[in-house]
Amino acid sequence: MFETLFKLRENNTTVRTEVLAGITTFLTMAYIIFVNPDILAKAGMPQDAVFVATCVAAAIGTLLMAFLANYPIALAPGMGLNAYFAFGVVLGMKFTWQVALGCVFISGVIFLILSVLPVREWIVNAIPKSLKMAIAAGIGLFLALIALQGAKIVVAHPATLITAGDLKSWPVILAALGFVLIAALEYRKVPGGVIIGVLAVTAASALLGVSKFSGVVSAPPSIAPVFLQMDLAGALNVGLITVIFAFLFVDMFDNSGTLIGLAHRAGFLRKDGTVPRLGRALIADSSAAMIGAAVGTSTTTSYIESASGINAGGRTGLTAVVVAILFLLALFFAPLATSVPTWATAPALLYVACLMAHGLVEIEWSDVTEAAPAVVTALAMPFTFSIAEGIAFGFITYTGIKIAAGRIRDVHPAVGILSVLFVIKFAVIG
């Protein structure tokens, strides 16, 4: 059966190798079952229900990737997009989390349509590399700020906006030690280094009495409080067009880059650089985004952490099936998830931020017309506390500088059109 479904011999792999690869991938990305509920709880969503939604969305999305594309790639609610959901849309723009879920669902529908039509490729190819890299790095900086706040290393200040917190407090000390532990374990290529760091800080917090330990295993909580709670009518508000676009834009480019990178790591890329079954993989990803919104979580997307399983020999969808099964088994560890304090997930966020900031390396710094818009994009995200605003500022700055420098030919029509639409949005809606 496995041979028929996943073509193991053709991909030069075995059931044992695929199972071990799946376990490796799960351990590498399992931190999301603790981090995602913690972030979305800030938006007022029931943490227990979001925990279930996270596991269910990850399992379904990963199974779609397994059976539609036969790729060893796992999916789960995406980092950065969950932060934008909670801190940007709900807390920042004051929309309800139900409306935010509606925006995620609509962005998934549009992504699915663009994945079927050739429009997606046209849009992806239109965006200059400098802006693509800046968006990735900007999301990383956005996550870093959220991590530092969660660890209480950075706190609000009426005069300077932000300042250092009480650096002698246990949350700060434990978060700092957790980050050092995660970075060291990842350097040593220890499987599950991130989740080990999160659990170590959680255990230390409980032992020191600075957080409450609720247990490890129990029956899964109810998903009802978030299941099918998305407000589609509210999401169609004209003021939310930019929000929907931000969810769509980030998912589309992050997903495309992730799939290409993982396909290259697994040796799937053809000689012309194209990815086999890319269309099916994109359909799986866009469908997962819609399903994730329906079950009650932010955008579900492909995870770069799947590279750990690929490095362990995973080459087919069987690896993904194993990951999906483990996410379903994780449903029985809800008490452990609710025992994880914010300063325990902060080191994981900060580590992911460090990885995403690597995009700055690939910016063409010798060309100021490329570098300046990239810097504006990356800095605007944390400073405005909004991924959408960062994208908009970046597009407008890129087009404006290119025109002023006499290099209007560098501006792709799609970029120019989007820049004009962003200007109109700021002028009319704000």
Side-chain angles (χ1 to χ4, degrees):
M1 180 182 68
F2 291 143
E3 179 60 38
T4 302
L5 287 173
F6 304 113
K7 300 178 174 58
L8 301 181
R9 291 195 191 93
E10 180 181 319
N11 288 281
N12 194 30
T13 186
T14 64
V15 172
R16 180 180 182 277
T17 298
E18 296 291 298
V19 170
L20 291 175
I23 294 172
T24 302
T25 293
F26 176 77
L27 289 174
T28 307
M29 63 184 291
Y31 66 86
I32 194 63
I33 65 177
F34 304 118
V35 176
N36 196 54
D38 182 62
I39 289 177
L40 297 190
K42 303 292 192 303
M45 299 183 72
Q47 189 164 351
D48 285 348
V50 174
F51 167 79
V52 177
T54 300
C55 294
V56 171
I60 295 175
T62 302
L63 288 174
L64 285 174
M65 184 65 73
F67 291 109
L68 287 179
N70 194 25
Y71 275 158
I73 297 175
L75 290 82
M79 294 299 299
L81 286 166
N82 53 7
Y84 175 58
F85 180 105
F87 298 100
V89 182
V90 179
L91 297 178
M93 301 174 70
K94 307 303 181 184
F95 288 102
T96 66
W97 59 262
Q98 291 89 342
V99 168
L101 285 177
C103 291
V104 172
F105 184 86
I106 293 171
S107 71
V109 172
I110 298 173
F111 189 14
L112 178 59
I113 294 172
L114 295 179
S115 297
V116 174
L117 300 175
V119 179
R120 181 200 62 80
E121 185 175 354
W122 181 71
I123 294 176
V124 171
N125 292 334
I127 311 304
K129 182 180 179 181
S130 60
L131 286 185
K132 291 178 183 175
M133 296 299 102
I135 290 169
I139 293 173
L141 296 177
F142 184 44
L143 288 177
L145 180 57
I146 293 170
L148 294 174
Q149 285 183 317
K152 304 185 186 303
I153 295 173
V154 168
V155 296
H157 191 281
T160 60
L161 299 182
I162 58 173
T163 188
D166 180 4
L167 301 183
K168 299 187 295 295
S169 66
W170 277 119
V172 171
I173 295 171
L174 291 172
L177 291 175
F179 177 71
V180 171
L181 176 60
I182 288 173
L185 291 175
E186 289 296 313
Y187 172 77
R188 293 175 177 274
K189 303 188 185 304
V190 175
V194 175
I195 194 171
I196 290 173
V198 171
L199 295 178
V201 174
T202 300
S205 298
L207 291 173
L208 291 168
V210 292
S211 68
K212 181 181 177 181
F213 182 66
S214 304
V216 179
V217 179
S218 73
S222 172
I223 196 176
V226 296
F227 184 69
L228 293 180
Q229 293 299 307
M230 53 192 179
D231 183 356
L232 296 177
L236 293 174
N237 182 313
V238 66
L240 286 167
I241 292 176
T242 305
V243 173
I244 293 172
F245 177 76
F247 281 127
L248 169 67
F249 187 91
V250 175
D251 188 27
M252 183 162 57
F253 289 106
D254 179 67
N255 178 256
S256 297
T258 298
L259 288 174
I260 292 171
L262 292 174
H264 179 267
R265 185 78 63 91
F268 294 148
L269 284 183
R270 299 189 181 103
K271 292 183 178 180
D272 61 358
T274 58
V275 180
R277 305 186 301 282
L278 177 61
R280 294 184 182 184
L282 290 171
I283 289 173
D285 190 274
S286 54
S287 299
M290 293 187 292
I291 293 170
V295 301
T297 186
S298 52
T299 307
T300 303
T301 188
S302 299
Y303 259 59
I304 194 65
E305 283 85 349
S306 302
S308 63
I310 290 173
N311 288 341
R315 290 297 181 272
T316 74
L318 181 55
T319 293
V321 170
V322 173
V323 176
I325 292 172
L326 292 174
F327 268 115
L328 293 177
L329 291 176
L331 285 169
F332 297 93
F333 292 88
L336 181 58
T338 57
S339 299
V340 178
T342 301
W343 55 86
T345 58
L349 280 176
L350 189 57
Y351 179 72
V352 173
C354 292
L355 298 181
M356 297 184 74
H358 183 267
L360 294 172
V361 174
E362 300 187 48
I363 294 171
E364 192 176 347
W365 293 103
S366 60
D367 184 348
V368 69
T369 66
E370 296 287 334
V375 172
V376 169
T377 303
L379 292 181
M381 289 186 188
F383 288 153
T384 63
F385 225 68
S386 172
I387 293 174
E389 303 288 29
I391 292 172
F393 289 179
F395 271 63
I396 294 170
T397 304
Y398 183 87
T399 302
I401 290 177
K402 288 291 186 180
I403 292 175
R407 294 175 56 179
I408 192 172
R409 291 183 179 180
D410 290 352
V411 181
H412 191 283
V415 176
I417 292 171
L418 289 172
S419 299
V420 172
L421 292 176
F422 281 133
V423 170
I424 295 174
K425 183 264 180 186
F426 286 131
V428 177
I429 302 174

